[in-house]
Amino acid sequence: MKSELIVDVQSDEVSIAFTEDDRLQEINREKRGEDSFAVGNIYFGRVKKIMPALNAAFVDVGHEKEAFLHYLDLGSEFRTTAEYVKKALADRRKVPAVNRIQRQPEVGKEGHISDVLNVGDMILVQVTKEPINTKGPRLTGEISIAGRNMVLMPFADKVMVSTKIRREGERSRLKQLLQSIKPQGYGVIVRTLAEDKRVAELDTELSVLVERWENAVRTLQKPIEKPVEKTAKNKDSEVRLISEELGRTIGIIRDLFSPEFSAIHVNDEDMFNEIRQYVELIDAESVKKVKLYKANQPIFDKFDITRQMKTGLGRTVGFKNGGYLVIDKTEALFSIDVNSGSKKIFEDQEENAFQYNMLAADEIVHQLRLRDIGGIIIIDFIDMNTKEHNDKLYEKMRSLMERDRAKHNVLPLSKFGLMQITRQRVRPAVEVDVLEVCPTCLGKGKIQASVCFHEHIEEEIQRKLEEYQGRKARLRLHLHPYIYAYVTRGWFNSIAAKWKRKYGIKVCENQALGMLETRFEDSTGK
């Protein structure tokens, strides 16, 4: 199977597409230059409210909405962590040793949030779920530092091995190995990727994770030089980010990359160098698979990502033999309706319904992963009358979902033909508006005369050249593929060739644009 990552770096956003055999499997987007409150970020926050009825607290971590921390998410070593923070702030000259902190009583599973926290307390917390809709981030008091082969947990002092590593001999080897090399006072969760890894590789990564934790503590110890003006984004000058999770791109590579990966294509030199350095760290032989994309055509157009997003992320999604899904989102859940269309595979109605449902199962699992749909998902399959068919469909859904990295639970079909799936939701579902508002009429229904359109573009070119220092700017003009075909018709005498000779501007096609939309880029891609 050919697996590839395509990274599209724009001035305001980084988009990461993961494909298998050229089929889009996942799409992730990360804003640049903003507080993203990504999963894994560690904050020093202030308790703003205690909610006894919810047995939870609301914590200010700098987001416009206060973050939610439930009692059960405090973690058993919360008091020990708090004692460590107190000691680190009392003596800012050095990072306290984790193993020298006096152990505090564990936080039990039954108790009240008011017994542990008070309004105004400064606490160390980590984001477990990004802000979604009107809700702020979800937090935990159980701090962990994630790596490729393991997860480091300060104060846990135990080693656990992923249940997906099933060979008993390998489980014992990894447990004994990590017990012997981990520093005292730290706990480790061994991930599935660590299977059959050598001690040198695991020891190097463990040292990197410990260093990341100590760097976070050093950031916590740094005094605030000037009080920061309180704003909606920074309501408390003491509240701050002390450790940022790896960028979404590096995080995806950490979780997905394997030596069998075919290539990683990047259209930005800085990001290309960053990815190369990380891949060299985890698998030096695979560095050559990281490739810098330099062509004029947008990278997502080149690898057919734009088309797949437009056709695969709408409300209605087709699958084989004319069947289609209708996907709707509500405040509480996602609903997916399976329809067979007008075509029949079999004359027998029961067999026909079963075959369409089996085909739909493949597309449904693909859509859950592609859109990163989380929470409660209700699927209305075509009604089937035999228990055997219902059982086979349920087993197929369970089998297909095993490849999903998100935690999930699949329930058998109910007597009404409905299947319920719960899937871990840690960030908002991917939303792409596949319907385009006309950029010329802005939805009014009337546009300028099409015969004048190339003259309008030429006026735009002249304005841009005045703004960007004439021919020296080396601008590129992006056009819809239909308009691109029109202006390049005739090669030497084409409109595009005339613009090239007269203004020194290159013309390229871009599938993401509306029919009469234009976009200009300078030589740096901005």
Side-chain angles (χ1 to χ4, degrees):
M1 181 181 291
K2 184 176 77 169
S3 301
E4 292 184 309
L5 268 185
I6 296 94
V7 183
D8 180 20
V9 181
Q10 300 296 331
S11 57
D12 60 340
E13 185 178 68
V14 179
S15 299
I16 310 110
F18 172 59
T19 65
E20 289 178 345
D21 291 334
D22 297 323
R23 189 185 187 196
L24 181 62
Q25 299 293 340
E26 293 183 22
I27 183 75
N28 289 272
R29 288 175 167 177
E30 181 181 20
K31 293 289 182 184
R32 306 181 78 188
E34 293 183 5
D35 291 330
S36 62
F37 294 90
V39 172
N41 283 5
I42 302 174
Y43 289 86
F44 193 45
R46 185 183 297 278
V47 178
K48 302 298 285 186
K49 297 174 192 171
I50 300 291
M51 306 294 289
L54 299 174
N55 204 15
F58 284 98
V59 183
D60 177 14
V61 293
H63 190 264
E64 57 185 358
K65 294 282 185 180
E66 286 161 358
F68 182 80
L69 175 64
H70 194 272
Y71 174 82
L72 294 176
D73 293 325
L74 290 174
S76 59
E77 303 298 334
F78 182 80
R79 289 191 176 99
T80 303
T81 305
E83 183 65 23
Y84 181 85
V85 169
K86 186 177 176 182
K87 187 169 182 178
L89 294 176
D91 183 2
R92 300 174 187 263
R93 293 172 298 176
K94 61 179 180 179
V95 175
V98 168
N99 63 326
R100 293 187 180 178
I101 297 298
Q102 185 176 356
R103 295 284 162 165
Q104 302 297 310
E106 290 188 358
V107 175
K109 292 185 178 180
E110 295 182 4
H112 300 285
I113 193 85
S114 54
D115 297 334
V116 185
L117 294 176
N118 296 302
V119 173
D121 286 353
M122 297 296 296
I123 58 175
L124 208 61
V125 287
Q126 188 168 28
V127 177
T128 59
K129 186 183 287 187
E130 294 180 10
I132 298 174
N133 297 332
T134 59
K135 298 176 183 177
R138 178 91 185 235
L139 305 176
T140 180
E142 202 164 14
I143 309 300
S144 61
I145 311 291
R148 179 171 168 79
N149 297 303
M150 66 190 79
V151 178
L152 181 74
M153 301 183 299
F155 316 111
D157 209 13
K158 56 188 174 183
V159 175
M160 293 174 284
V161 181
S162 168
T163 55
K164 291 183 180 179
I165 299 177
R166 293 195 167 89
R167 287 182 290 148
E168 205 54 49
E170 179 61 10
R171 291 177 63 84
S172 299
R173 182 189 79 89
L174 288 169
K175 193 164 188 175
Q176 292 173 10
L177 175 59
L178 267 300
Q179 285 282 15
S180 65
I181 64 174
K182 78 173 183 66
Q184 192 176 353
Y186 290 94
V188 174
I189 299 174
V190 183
R191 304 180 74 177
T192 311
L193 286 169
E195 191 169 10
D196 297 323
K197 290 290 192 301
R198 296 172 298 174
V199 60
E201 188 174 345
L202 297 176
D203 189 39
T204 300
E205 181 169 333
L206 185 60
S207 300
V208 170
L209 296 181
V210 171
E211 182 64 23
R212 280 181 60 192
W213 162 251
E214 291 180 349
N215 285 338
V217 178
R218 291 186 188 99
T219 303
L220 175 66
Q221 290 175 316
K222 288 179 182 177
I224 300 172
E225 296 177 3
K226 295 180 181 179
V228 181
E229 184 183 350
K230 295 181 181 181
T231 64
K233 285 192 175 182
N234 185 36
K235 297 177 279 183
D236 192 321
S237 60
E238 290 185 72
V239 170
R240 59 194 187 275
L241 172 69
I242 67 164
S243 178
E244 191 168 11
E245 179 58 281
L246 298 172
R248 184 75 54 87
T249 309
I250 300 298
I252 290 171
I253 293 171
R254 178 189 67 198
D255 295 337
L256 290 177
F257 187 81
S258 70
E260 288 74 39
F261 234 70
S262 303
I264 300 173
H265 302 276
V266 195
N267 66 346
D268 179 79
E269 193 163 356
D270 291 337
M271 182 65 75
F272 167 75
N273 292 329
E274 186 180 340
I275 292 173
R276 269 181 63 93
Q277 289 173 9
Y278 185 77
V279 171
E280 189 173 17
L281 181 67
I282 60 177
D283 185 12
E285 294 180 1
S286 296
V287 170
K288 59 188 177 183
K289 296 178 182 178
V290 184
K291 300 175 182 178
L292 181 62
Y293 179 82
K294 294 182 177 180
N296 290 329
Q297 185 181 11
I299 189 170
F300 271 14
D301 288 5
K302 170 68 176 177
F303 292 96
D304 199 34
I305 303 301
T306 305
R307 185 194 64 80
Q308 292 190 60
M309 287 169 60
K310 294 285 186 182
T311 57
L313 289 169
R315 179 173 179 260
T316 302
V317 180
F319 59 89
K320 290 180 181 178
N321 293 325
Y324 62 94
L325 308 175
V326 179
I327 304 173
D328 285 306
K329 175 188 176 184
T330 70
E331 187 69 24
L333 52 82
F334 281 84
S335 67
I336 301 177
D337 184 36
V338 179
N339 297 277
S340 61
S342 57
K343 187 177 178 180
K344 276 192 174 184
I345 307 175
F346 294 93
E347 287 300 321
D348 180 67
Q349 185 175 345
E350 172 69 17
E351 186 64 27
N352 194 64
F354 172 65
Q355 292 298 333
Y356 269 108
N357 284 338
M358 294 293 273
L359 290 172
D362 289 295
E363 186 58 38
I364 288 169
V365 174
H366 175 244
Q367 287 292 322
L368 296 184
R369 188 176 172 190
L370 175 62
R371 300 174 189 236
D372 200 10
I373 293 175
I376 299 171
I377 301 116
I378 304 296
I379 305 167
D380 183 10
F381 283 104
I382 303 169
D383 290 339
M384 297 182 295
N385 297 321
T386 66
K387 185 177 184 301
E388 181 186 1
H389 284 164
N390 284 339
D391 290 344
K392 284 183 178 178
L393 179 59
Y394 170 60
E395 288 302 321
K396 178 165 186 180
M397 284 295 294
R398 285 190 60 187
S399 173
L400 291 170
M401 289 292 289
E402 283 180 358
R403 295 186 60 197
D404 196 336
R405 292 181 295 126
K407 294 177 183 177
H408 59 269
N409 188 26
V410 183
L411 299 183
L413 274 80
S414 71
K415 63 181 180 180
F416 300 113
L418 302 176
M419 178 177 286
Q420 179 177 316
I421 298 176
T422 57
R423 187 174 183 271
Q424 183 185 26
R425 177 168 60 180
V426 296
R427 55 182 61 91
V430 174
E431 292 185 4
V432 174
D433 192 358
V434 298
L435 300 177
E436 300 168 352
V437 175
C438 172
T440 306
C441 75
L442 302 177
K444 294 176 182 176
K446 293 185 178 181
I447 64 172
Q448 62 180 323
S450 57
V451 294
C452 302
F453 182 63
H454 72 274
E455 296 175 3
H456 168 70
I457 296 177
E458 190 164 0
E459 290 173 5
E460 282 290 311
I461 293 172
Q462 291 169 353
R463 278 197 290 270
K464 291 295 179 186
L465 289 176
E466 288 176 12
E467 186 179 346
Y468 285 90
Q469 303 174 343
R471 294 174 65 99
K472 294 179 182 177
R474 297 173 62 194
L475 297 180
R476 288 194 296 267
L477 170 63
H478 290 246
L479 298 173
H480 185 277
Y482 289 175
I483 304 299
Y484 173 82
Y486 173 72
V487 300
T488 55
R489 184 185 58 177
W491 188 61
F492 185 79
N493 289 320
S494 69
I495 296 170
K498 291 176 182 176
W499 289 345
K500 171 78 173 175
R501 292 193 294 270
K502 187 174 180 180
Y503 303 112
I505 194 165
K506 275 188 177 179
V507 179
C508 49
E509 60 180 313
N510 189 330
Q511 296 175 13
L513 298 182
M515 179 71 77
L516 301 182
E517 194 174 1
T518 58
R519 180 181 297 166
F520 289 87
E521 265 187 13
D522 63 18
S523 57
T524 64
K526 293 183 181 178

